[in-house]
Amino acid sequence: MEAWLEKGFAWIPHPVKKVTFGEGKIGELAEIVNQQARVVVITSPSVVRSGLVDKVKSHLKTVAALEVYDGVKPHSPIATVEDVRQLVKKIAATHVISVGGGSSIDTTKGVILDYLDRGNKPFHVAIPTTLSGGEYGKDVGLTDGNKKKIFSDVRVVPDLVILDPIAAATAPLSIFMPSGMNAFAHCVEGLASVKGNAIGDALFLHSARLLFSSLFELAERPDDLVQRGKAQAGALMAACIGLGGIPKGIEHALAHVVGGRWKVPHAIAHAIMIAPCMRYNADTVGWAHAMIGETIGVPGVAKMAPRDASFATAEAVDGLLARMKIPRRLSDVGVPRDDLKNGAADAFDDLYLHSNPKKITETSDVLGILEDAWGRPL
C-alpha cells in the first residue's frame, strides 16, 4: 500500500525554474544569452564530435566572451570540476551551459557549488542529450578516487533546461538507452519510496509508460524524433518529482557503488541493478512493482500476488534490456566477483541504502543483491 495513504504527505514544488521542450528549441539561446554575457560551454569530447556543440555555439556568436571546456569525464571527477571552476573564474563567466549527459551536468553543478555562499552564481542553462535527469536534481554526484560523493543543495538546480529531441538524437543508442533505464529507476524507486506522495505516484506511472514504450520502439527506430521526445518527457516527469524530495533506495545506492568502485557507466549501472533490487524488495513493495508492471503492459500482472508481480515486472525489465542490447549482468561489464563483498560494504556509506523500503542492516543482504546482479542465470 502506498505509504502516503497511511502517513500522509507534504508535497514540495520542484525548484526547477523553467523547462522548455520541442524540436529546435536550442535556437532560443540567442534570446536567452545577451550580448554582454560571458559564457562557458561545458561538455565532453563525444558531444563535441557529434556536432551538437557547434550548433550551440552558432547561437552564441554575439556574446562578449565564449569558452568551451570539452574535457568532462564520466562520473564527474572532483579534479575535473576544479579545472572548470578555474576557467569560469578566469573569464568571470555570467553563464554556464552544460551540454550532454549526466556527467556534463553534474560537473557544471559542481562548479555552481563554489558560488552558493558568496554570490554571483552564473546562470546555468542545461541542454541534456540523455535521460538520467541530473538537470532537474538538487543532488550533485562527484567522484573522488573509487568513491562517489553526493552533495545536495537546492540552489544547484539549473535555471533553465532545454529539451530538444534534435539534441537528444545526437546521443548514440548505446548511451541514450541506458540513460532511459536510469530514469525508469526513478519511477520504480519513487513509487515504492518510504516518503512518496500522490502527485509523484501519478507522474511516476505515466513516466514509466512513456519511457518503456519509447525505449522499446527506439531499439528498432533510433532516428525517430517523436520517440526521443517521448523519452525526454518521461524522464522530465520522473526526475522533477523523483529527484525533488522523495528518497530513493538500495537500487540508487548500488548504482553509485557500481559506478564509483568499478567505473561502470552510471546509466549502465542503473540498468543492471533495477531488476535484482526489485527482486530483493519484492516481499515489501511488490504492490508498487505490480503497478509499474500494469502500466508497462506485463501480461496478467494485475491478477498476480504482489511478490509474483514484482518478479514478473523484473523479468520484463530484463527483456527490455535484451531488446536494447544493454548489458544485463555485472559480469558482462567486468566487475570482479571476488570484490563484490567490498562493494556491499561500500553501500552502507550511501544515504539511499538507509531509506530503502525494506530495512537493510547486514552486508550479506547487499551482497546477495550484487550476486544476483553479477550472475543470475538468464
Side-chain angles (χ1 to χ4, degrees), residues 260-319:
R261 185 174 188 86
W262 297 304
K263 307 307 179 191
V264 175
H266 182 65
I268 292 287
H270 272 293
I272 292 172
M273 294 311 308
I274 293 171
C277 291
M278 289 177 69
R279 287 188 281 267
Y280 175 79
N281 282 325
D283 54 2
T284 303
V285 290
W287 58 266
H289 300 159
M291 293 170 72
I292 293 284
E294 190 170 7
T295 201
I296 65 174
V298 177
V301 72
K303 297 180 180 179
M304 295 179 188
R307 188 175 187 277
D308 294 337
S310 184
F311 273 70
T313 303
E315 288 302 313
V317 171
D318 276 336

Side-chain angles (χ1 to χ4, degrees), residues 2-13:
E2 295 93 326
W4 56 264
L5 282 170
E6 181 179 357
K7 301 176 182 178
F9 67 85
W11 181 65
I12 303 171

Side-chain angles (χ1 to χ4, degrees), residues 21 30 34 39 71 73 129 136 143-144 157 173 258 264 295 345 356 360:
F21 170 88
N34 60 40
V39 182
K73 295 180 174 61
T129 57
Y136 310 112
T143 50
D144 185 8
V157 175
L173 286 188
V258 170
V264 175
T295 201
N356 191 63
I360 300 174

Side-chain angles (χ1 to χ4, degrees), residues 18 21 46 64 80 97 108 148 175 179 188 202 221 225 231 234 242 262:
K18 183 178 181 181
F21 170 88
S46 62
T80 301
I97 302 176
T108 307
K148 191 154 193 170
I175 295 173
S179 75
V188 174
R221 306 201 308 272
L225 289 180
W262 297 304

Side-chain angles (χ1 to χ4, degrees), residues 14-150:
H14 195 277
V16 69
K17 297 178 180 65
K18 183 178 181 181
V19 179
T20 180
F21 170 88
E23 293 182 26
K25 286 292 183 177
I26 289 176
E28 293 183 353
L29 282 173
E31 301 170 11
I32 295 162
V33 182
N34 60 40
Q35 293 184 355
Q36 289 75 43
R38 307 179 68 81
V39 182
V40 176
V41 176
I42 301 165
T43 190
S44 65
S46 62
V47 177
V48 172
R49 290 193 295 271
S50 76
L52 180 57
V53 174
D54 285 338
K55 290 182 181 178
V56 169
K57 289 167 61 180
S58 72
H59 299 295
L60 300 170
K61 291 178 180 178
T62 61
V63 300
L66 175 61
E67 295 282 349
V68 175
Y69 182 91
D70 60 4
V72 166
K73 295 180 174 61
H75 305 295
S76 307
I78 287 175
T80 301
V81 173
E82 185 56 34
D83 287 344
V84 184
R85 280 177 181 158
Q86 294 305 318
L87 178 57
V88 169
K89 291 175 183 177
K90 178 182 175 181
I91 73 162
T94 59
H95 292 68
V96 287
I97 302 176
S98 56
V99 185
S103 293
S104 293
I105 292 162
D106 265 12
T107 296
T108 307
K109 291 197 295 185
V111 171
I112 296 294
L113 281 172
D114 193 45
Y115 287 84
L116 295 185
D117 296 320
R118 57 187 184 87
N120 300 316
K121 180 175 75 71
F123 188 93
H124 180 187
V125 179
I127 305 174
T129 57
T130 63
L131 305 170
S132 298
E135 58 271 17
Y136 310 112
K138 62 184 178 64
D139 292 347
V140 186
L142 309 177
T143 50
D144 185 8
N146 287 332
K147 290 196 173 183
K148 191 154 193 170
K149 296 184 176 181
I150 307 298

